[in-house]
Amino acid sequence: MPVLVKIPTQLRPAAGGAAETEVDGATVQEVLDGLFDRFEELRARIYDDDGSLRRFVNVYLAGEDIRFLDGLSTPVADGAELTILPAVAGG
Amino acid sequence: MAVTHLECKECKAHYPLQALYVCERCFGPLEAVYEHQRDGRDVGELRRRIQGGPQNIWRYADFLPLAEGPPGPSGRLASRVGLPAGCTPLIRADRLAERLGLREVWVKNDAANPTHSFKDRVVSLAAARARELGFEVIACASTGNLANSVAAHGAALGLDSYVLIPADLEEQKVLATGVYGTKLVMVDGSYDDVNRLCTELCAERRWAFVNVNLRPYYAEGSKTLAFEIAEQLGWEIPDRCVVPVASGSLFTKIAKGFDEWRELGLLDGQLPRMNGAQAEGCAPVASAFLAGHQVCRPVKPDTIAKSLAIGNPADGPYALDVARRTGGSIDAVSDEEIREGIALLAETTGIFTETAGGVSAAVLRKLADRGEIERDESVVLLITGDGLKTLDAVRGSFPTYSIAPTIEAFEATVPEGVAAV
Ligand SMILES: Cc1ncc(COP(=O)(O)O)c(C=O)c1O
Ligand SMILES: [Zn+2]
């Protein structure tokens, strides 16, 4: 069973309008790479030029910020939910 | 109308003045941009125009992102519409200054707002913009003070409201929200969890989340603190401001307020040194400042300063930049120092602040103790919330005397000759 990736509204136009999609991968990085294989346009939105997460992108695995886990190398189990969200809310 | 569009703070892409908050290209935050028409007015005329305005933040409507100017049937009636915020006292605090070995300390007491915190400034603006954009529901993710303010503004303006808070907030803040008849949602999680939930909900509902999709408008409300301070000091910029930091929005927008008025020639001189204040139990911005980093590593908050307990601050990078650019800093203080800060302010000024004000008072003391403040500097201490909302912070912190109603009991128990501290 693959991983369910939730796509924020701001990125849906670059993902064929999809709000979520299923991608295979054993780590957060692999799942994101799988996502970019499908929707190439997303890569430049989510990654900066050196291939790390842009500073205003938050990625959550089952609701936990991956920076509290192992970042992009965090392992993901089958059936897990990965949520991408803008980081500029709140206060 | 002087506001022209929204612009990405990172890649400078332009966006229309809608309920948008994030750049689609790079995920950067959007900010309001203005083009001020002076119509031949000189500085004196600009100042008189402001001084002739209402006694609340709408006197600064020219510098705020509303399409139709101050809300209400007419500009003149604006001071009586909704829950007008602002025009709070700026008090010369000589006894506090003396205790700290300083000469000129001012306290900006923003607890003197309708719901007792500076959040009424940002919510007034976001709610007014929400109405302009045709929203019928306002909502927020809150650490407490915003909750009070959104619920109250919803009631005042006849808008439905949804307020989401972490379930473990102070009881005072919960009660002072629910009373306004809002839909109060207590979330089992931290503020950062609540914020994530609201970011997700925002995509699903046509609501004006004041600090999510309306954030570019909301945030501009904090500039009015800079405008007021400058006006109250006689059109002068203070040498230093000490400001509590949660998301970092208040801190960065105070600097922006002074800056915009400098550009218009309304003020001369440099930006104040901007000193940010955090609690050690939630100090992602202070830690990044100390480490020389440009971004903040998120933390899991654990502090009595719940109003500042944002572990993943949206404006962290910009707050760091402002502190460095102005020769200021971002410092952190312990819960014990926060309690002492509350007592210090109360005993020397008669102002009872909540834990966030305890954080800024304690940081002011720390800066003074470190000898960082020159003796002739003018320093403004931002007190952004009311002590009655965080009563646990002072519970048991002073003695009381329980006696029978007789002279004998009084004389036997109550010490006399206690001078003012
Ligand atoms: C009393 C008080 N002061 C200061 C702040 C900090 O605001 P910001 O998130 O803009 O940094 C808050 C935020 O909730 C607050 O409630
Ligand atoms: Zn951008």
Side-chain angles (χ1 to χ4, degrees):
Chain A
M1 225 174 37
V3 175
L4 183 70
V5 182
K6 297 195 144 182
I7 301 168
T9 29
Q10 295 80 8
L11 292 183
R12 289 179 199 167
E20 50 186 46
T21 185
E22 295 196 329
V23 184
D24 288 311
T27 62
V28 172
Q29 172 106 50
E30 284 179 25
V31 172
L32 290 178
D33 284 341
L35 181 71
F36 302 151
D37 284 345
R38 197 166 313 160
F39 305 113
E40 176 54 33
E41 245 190 276
L42 288 184
R43 187 186 304 273
R45 309 284 185 88
I46 293 178
Y47 279 174
D48 61 21
D49 294 341
D50 359 299
S52 43
L53 276 181
R54 285 186 178 276
R55 62 181 185 168
F56 291 108
V57 174
N58 284 345
V59 178
Y60 302 89
L61 182 63
E64 180 72 312
D65 191 321
I66 60 163
R67 284 171 295 181
F68 288 117
L69 306 169
D70 230 346
L72 289 174
S73 343
T74 307
V76 288
D78 271 357
E81 214 174 87
L82 197 72
T83 308
I84 304 167
L85 283 177
V88 295
Chain B
M1 166 176 95
V3 64
T4 55
H5 60 276
L6 300 178
E7 187 176 284
C8 173
K9 281 184 89 161
E10 295 288 299
C11 78
K12 310 294 170 200
H14 287 201
Y15 291 87
L17 292 163
Q18 296 299 318
L20 298 169
Y21 68 109
V22 53
C23 176
E24 287 179 9
R25 296 215 318 233
C26 77
F27 266 45
L30 305 186
E31 187 166 56
V33 176
Y34 303 80
E35 193 176 305
H36 290 290
Q37 270 111 31
R38 297 183 58 156
D39 297 330
R41 284 190 282 257
D42 64 19
V43 167
E45 284 171 275
L46 285 176
R47 288 180 177 172
R48 279 193 297 280
R49 182 175 154 85
I50 294 164
Q51 287 166 324
Q55 288 292 317
N56 56 53
I57 60 165
W58 304 126
R59 69 204 276 104
Y60 310 118
D62 288 347
F63 314 96
L64 298 174
L66 290 180
E68 287 147 30
S74 78
R76 290 191 55 193
L77 282 180
S79 56
R80 304 193 198 151
V81 168
L83 274 185
C87 285
T88 58
L90 181 72
I91 290 154
R92 174 92 188 216
D94 286 341
R95 299 189 60 242
L96 175 59
E98 198 183 320
R99 277 270 204 109
L100 298 176
L102 304 174
R103 207 155 68 195
E104 189 180 342
V105 176
W106 300 85
V107 174
K108 179 64 172 166
N109 183 13
D110 234 32
N113 268 307
T115 70
H116 313 280
S117 85
F118 90 98
K119 293 288 184 183
D120 290 322
R121 298 176 184 273
V122 286
V123 175
S124 290
L125 197 55
R129 185 65 188 144
R131 289 229 291 198
E132 285 186 348
L133 292 172
F135 286 98
E136 279 157 18
V137 177
I138 54 174
C140 69
S142 173
T143 57
N145 286 307
L146 185 60
N148 295 180
S149 187
V150 165
H153 278 80
L157 297 172
L159 296 165
D160 276 344
S161 64
Y162 287 79
V163 167
L164 287 86
I165 55 173
D168 71 345
L169 279 195
E170 297 92 347
E171 186 185 29
Q172 294 87 16
K173 284 184 179 151
V174 177
L175 296 176
T177 302
V179 71
Y180 298 112
T182 184
K183 295 198 180 57
L184 180 55
V185 184
M186 323 260 294
V187 178
D188 177 19
S190 66
Y191 173 80
D192 297 291
D193 294 321
V194 178
N195 195 32
R196 174 181 51 75
L197 172 61
C198 285
T199 307
E200 288 183 88
L201 262 178
C202 189
E204 311 296 331
R205 301 280 187 283
R206 219 196 104 71
W207 295 348
F209 278 87
V210 298
N211 55 350
V212 186
N213 53 339
L214 275 266
R215 196 170 193 265
Y217 307 97
Y218 158 99
E220 289 285 289
S222 289
K223 291 189 312 192
T224 61
L225 267 164
F227 298 156
E228 272 176 37
I229 290 167
E231 216 191 322
Q232 288 169 315
L233 289 175
W235 306 98
E236 292 274 345
I237 301 179
D239 296 315
R240 184 184 295 273
C241 290
V242 183
V243 183
V245 172
S247 73
S249 173
L250 168 70
F251 182 77
T252 47
K253 292 291 181 167
I254 288 178
K256 184 172 186 248
F258 287 121
D259 224 13
E260 285 183 3
W261 272 16
R262 283 166 71 220
E263 266 170 40
L264 284 169
L266 279 163
L267 299 172
D268 294 322
Q270 297 182 340
L271 280 188
R273 285 178 196 276
M274 295 293 296
N275 290 108
Q278 293 208 294
E280 277 173 7
C282 181
V285 194
S287 308
F289 183 84
L290 200 64
H293 294 162
Q294 251 131 51
V295 291
C296 302
R297 205 184 149 69
V299 301
K300 304 256 183 202
D302 179 16
T303 167
I304 59 167
K306 294 185 181 181
S307 51
L308 302 182
I310 297 184
N312 191 1
D315 284 305
Y318 303 116
L320 289 166
D321 178 57
V322 165
R324 290 183 178 128
R325 204 153 40 81
T326 61
S329 68
I330 316 269
D331 282 274
V333 287
S334 69
D335 283 358
E336 200 37 50
E337 290 171 304
I338 296 169
R339 290 197 186 88
E340 288 166 11
I342 294 173
L344 171 68
L345 186 77
E347 291 168 9
T348 58
T349 67
I351 294 168
F352 179 26
T353 185
E354 71 144 81
T355 43
V359 171
S360 22
V363 164
L364 173 61
R365 166 139 83 186
K366 196 170 213 173
L367 296 168
D369 288 351
R370 282 210 301 252
E372 267 180 45
I373 305 179
E374 303 285 333
R375 229 188 110 68
D376 60 353
E377 272 186 41
S378 58
V379 181
V380 177
L381 175 64
L382 275 287
I383 295 303
T384 48
D386 194 315
L388 293 173
K389 293 196 203 181
T390 59
L391 291 173
D392 282 339
V394 296
R395 205 179 299 284
S397 66
F398 48 84
T400 54
Y401 306 98
S402 303
I403 60 166
T406 64
I407 296 276
E408 293 74 22
F410 181 89
E411 288 180 343
T413 315
V414 184
E416 293 202 49
V418 184
V421 267

